[in-house]
Amino acid sequence: MTEIPMLVEILISFFLVVSGVFGLIGSLGLLKLTDTMQRLHAPTKATTLGVGGVLIASMLYMLLVKDHLSFHEFMITLFLFLTAPIATLFIAQTHILMNLKRSDLPDTGREHSWSIYDDPPEQAPSSEETPAES
């Protein structure tokens, strides 16, 4: 078995501990917060950072100990950072549609109101979509 330098061990351990702390904070937030909209923040932000810390520690381990650059962790991180906000948006929209009326929401101050209740406004076709006039 190969010896791992102390600095590498400390660096990898740091990211694992940080990820554990964020995971714990996210889990406690999920338990303690009362409303669905409040609960969205705990699992999506804190636990995403927690998973990110584990992935960084894994990348460091593969790079510094195994001398191999692994793109698996990078792809997982990219997928996680792309899907977590989208899942959060869908959960928030579902909560708003099921529990709030349009009158419960504040005025947007714009011509078009909340997009969750209205269809998108009609737009003129762009110049690429219109047939060429000759």
Side-chain angles (χ1 to χ4, degrees), residues 4-18 57 60-61 64-65:
I4 302 173
M6 179 68 91
L7 182 64
V8 173
E9 285 183 355
I10 291 172
L11 189 64
I12 292 171
S13 299
F14 170 76
F15 281 107
L16 288 175
V17 169
V18 166
L60 289 174
Y61 178 79
L64 299 175
V65 176

Side-chain angles (χ1 to χ4, degrees), residues 43-113:
T44 56
K45 292 181 178 51
T47 53
T48 299
L49 289 174
V51 171
V54 170
L55 292 171
I56 290 171
S58 178
M59 282 191 284
L60 289 174
Y61 178 79
M62 292 300 288
L63 182 65
L64 299 175
V65 176
K66 298 290 183 180
D67 291 330
H68 172 72
L69 183 61
S70 175
F71 285 103
H72 295 109
E73 291 86 356
F74 177 73
M75 296 303 290
I76 293 169
T77 304
L78 186 66
F79 180 75
L80 184 68
F81 286 168
L82 288 176
T83 58
I86 294 170
T88 304
L89 175 69
F90 287 150
I91 292 170
Q93 285 183 340
T94 303
H95 175 75
I96 289 172
L97 282 175
M98 293 182 70
N99 297 311
L100 297 174
K101 294 179 279 187
R102 178 189 290 252
S103 60
D104 295 336
L105 298 174
D107 185 27
T108 60
R110 297 183 176 173
E111 180 183 354
H112 302 287
S113 184

